[in-house]
Amino acid sequence: MYALGAYVTRSAIYGLSYKFGLTLVFEISAVIAFLHVYDLPFQVSFTSMIVISLLYVIYFGLLLAGYLLQHDSKRTSAAVSENLNFSYSRPVVEPFAWGLIGLATILILFISQLVDAPPFSRMFYERTRVGFGHLYYPAVLFTNLAVVLGLFAVHGKLQKPILVLSGIVLSAAFGSKWVLALQSVVVVYYAYAVLGYRIDTRKVVPVTLGIGASLIFAFWLFSPFARSNLLDFSIQYSEYTRNLMLVVETWNEYKYGQLTLENNLFPLLPRALYPEKPLVFGSLRLSEHYYPESVELSQGLPSFGPFGAVWADFGPLAFLIVGVVGFAQGFLIRKIEIRLYKRNHIGLFIAYITLVGLPLINPGVISTTVIAINIAIGIMLHWVCLFRLRPGGNYAYSRR
């Protein structure tokens, strides 16, 4: 269960410690534990186990290398010592956050009437999967932004916790485990990147298990099977490894970039604007190939993890691709982290959590386009807050 909890919450390790190598240990231990507890529906070869292990080793190893490339303790200490804590001189963030919660609530109630499904139910999520993205994703985005803005609230001692808790409660209305679990992990990153909270290695394990427990609770809340047998559900839900093994073992028709291109083009394109948008595209083609009944029912599609589509597209070239992506990701995470030491504000924080794998708007696949859109949203949100304050003393800096 420890390996599973760490596997499910591996991205939470990014912001909690410099020891990215722990994440790699958790991944490998999760694979070993998974193979011992789950009866796979196909024959697993030693080769596929090596392939999957190498994908994780290369990705996380080069992510660590990119991160540590800029890890200069003197430079970091200097950045912290000159840190100017970005804050707003007038109460703008708080009413903005409450306004977003209000808009999200209106959208949720409106969607509920359209799909004839109550909020706070799995049915709400299932019935909004096709044809309602232009309403569903803005509502999710408004809720997530309200939580982030609440974390940056500076006026009124109670507004910060009330705003954050209101956003977390509202996130449960979408019937999605991901939307609900995202909020708790974002709060952890805020404590690390903005408040400067650090934990030592001994605390990584209990914190990781705590986050894993919150995610499992989200599974229990939205899945009848989880409520009847939580242990079996938790083990079987860890499907990344299982499905990736399935692709490595049986997929022999490489698409040479088709799935990756579609993952970047279609997820955030509203069907209301483009009625010809295909129902199955990108990583969904893997789901259709291996789990056609899930695609037909549209009740939550199996995930093939971060490497499934890349392997289906390029085969062994995936080793090179995930290595380049991992190195660039680690480099950018550390780059933004250093800037957050000097000048932490909403735009940088949203860019940071996006790069560590927690985009505020997530259509089910984290592609380059999704990352770019999330970062652009963070930049625009920051400047909107600044322009709202001008003229007459737009913002203030103070020593942390």
Side-chain angles (χ1 to χ4, degrees):
M1 287 302 295
Y2 166 71
L4 173 63
Y7 174 73
V8 173
T9 61
R10 65 190 183 282
S11 63
I13 304 299
Y14 292 167
L16 296 176
S17 170
Y18 290 139
K19 305 183 186 330
F20 281 78
L22 286 174
T23 306
L24 179 59
V25 173
F26 292 155
E27 290 287 357
I28 295 176
S29 62
V31 171
I32 295 173
F34 181 84
L35 290 174
H36 281 83
V37 300
Y38 195 82
D39 185 18
L40 294 173
F42 56 93
Q43 186 65 35
V44 178
S45 70
F46 180 75
T47 301
S48 68
M49 295 174 61
I50 293 297
V51 166
I52 292 173
S53 298
L54 281 177
L55 284 171
Y56 281 119
V57 167
I58 292 171
Y59 173 73
F60 284 112
L62 288 178
L63 186 147
L64 176 62
Y67 182 88
L68 295 180
L69 185 66
Q70 302 180 87
H71 182 60
D72 186 333
S73 58
K74 293 182 178 179
R75 181 181 178 187
T76 301
S77 299
V80 172
S81 65
E82 69 181 32
N83 177 272
L84 295 173
N85 190 21
F86 184 91
S87 62
Y88 300 99
S89 58
R90 297 180 186 174
V92 172
V93 172
E94 294 83 354
F96 196 1
W98 286 120
L100 289 173
I101 287 179
L103 285 173
T105 303
I106 292 172
L107 281 174
I108 290 170
L109 295 175
F110 179 60
I111 295 171
S112 177
Q113 294 297 315
L114 290 178
V115 301
D116 192 25
F120 299 94
S121 69
R122 185 65 175 176
M123 186 186 301
F124 183 90
Y125 170 76
E126 292 171 354
R127 293 188 178 181
T128 55
R129 289 188 58 83
V130 178
F132 295 94
H134 61 295
L135 297 174
Y136 182 88
Y137 290 122
V140 171
L141 176 62
F142 293 159
T143 304
N144 291 337
L145 287 177
V147 172
V148 172
L149 286 168
L151 291 171
F152 282 83
V154 294
H155 298 89
K157 293 182 179 180
L158 294 178
Q159 285 217 65
K160 183 192 290 284
I162 292 175
L163 271 170
V164 173
L165 287 175
S166 298
I168 291 175
V169 171
L170 186 61
S171 68
F174 296 99
S176 168
K177 299 177 289 292
W178 166 257
V179 177
L180 178 60
L182 171 73
Q183 312 294 354
S184 61
V185 184
V186 166
V187 172
V188 172
Y189 278 117
Y190 175 81
Y192 170 84
V194 178
L195 300 182
Y197 179 73
R198 298 293 184 270
I199 64 174
D200 57 33
T201 305
R202 292 172 297 177
K203 295 181 180 179
V204 168
V205 174
V207 170
T208 301
L209 290 177
I211 297 173
S214 69
L215 295 182
I216 291 176
F217 171 74
F219 299 155
W220 177 86
L221 187 63
F222 293 119
S223 173
F225 176 68
R227 287 193 290 271
S228 63
N229 197 329
L230 184 59
L231 179 60
D232 285 349
F233 175 83
S234 300
I235 294 172
Q236 294 181 24
Y237 195 87
S238 183
E239 61 189 7
Y240 287 4
T241 303
R242 178 184 71 221
N243 291 338
L244 182 55
M245 283 184 176
L246 190 59
V247 174
V248 172
E249 284 285 333
T250 63
W251 189 270
N252 53 17
E253 188 179 337
Y254 300 136
K255 298 298 183 180
Y256 301 105
Q258 178 185 349
L259 305 189
T260 303
L261 179 63
E262 291 178 349
N263 280 340
N264 280 275
L265 289 179
F266 291 126
L268 288 176
L269 180 63
R271 200 174 300 276
L273 297 180
Y274 183 57
E276 292 78 19
K277 176 181 174 180
L279 292 174
V280 178
F281 56 85
S283 298
L284 298 182
R285 295 188 183 278
L286 295 176
S287 299
E288 183 184 46
H289 181 79
Y290 291 110
Y291 303 101
E293 66 285 351
S294 296
V295 176
E296 184 178 351
L297 294 174
S298 191
Q299 293 182 344
L301 301 180
S303 174
F304 290 80
F307 309 134
V310 180
W311 186 268
D313 265 342
F314 302 106
L317 281 177
F319 293 121
L320 175 62
I321 295 170
V322 302
V324 172
V325 171
F327 183 85
Q329 186 177 354
F331 182 87
L332 291 174
I333 288 172
R334 181 57 178 165
K335 194 80 170 177
I336 295 177
E337 193 175 280
I338 292 174
R339 289 184 176 273
L340 278 170
Y341 286 141
K342 298 180 179 179
R343 187 172 181 262
N344 48 63
H345 58 68
I346 296 171
L348 283 175
F349 180 67
I350 291 177
Y352 183 78
I353 60 176
T354 297
L355 286 172
V356 299
L358 296 171
L360 297 183
I361 180 170
N362 180 10
V365 57
I366 303 178
S367 62
T368 304
T369 302
V370 171
I371 291 174
I373 290 175
N374 276 270
I375 293 176
I377 289 172
I379 294 172
M380 288 189 292
L381 182 65
H382 171 65
W383 284 106
V384 164
C385 290
L386 291 186
F387 287 133
R388 284 281 303 275
L389 291 166
R390 293 177 179 175
N394 45 353
Y395 48 83
Y397 289 95
S398 60
R399 293 282 176 184
R400 176 150 46 170

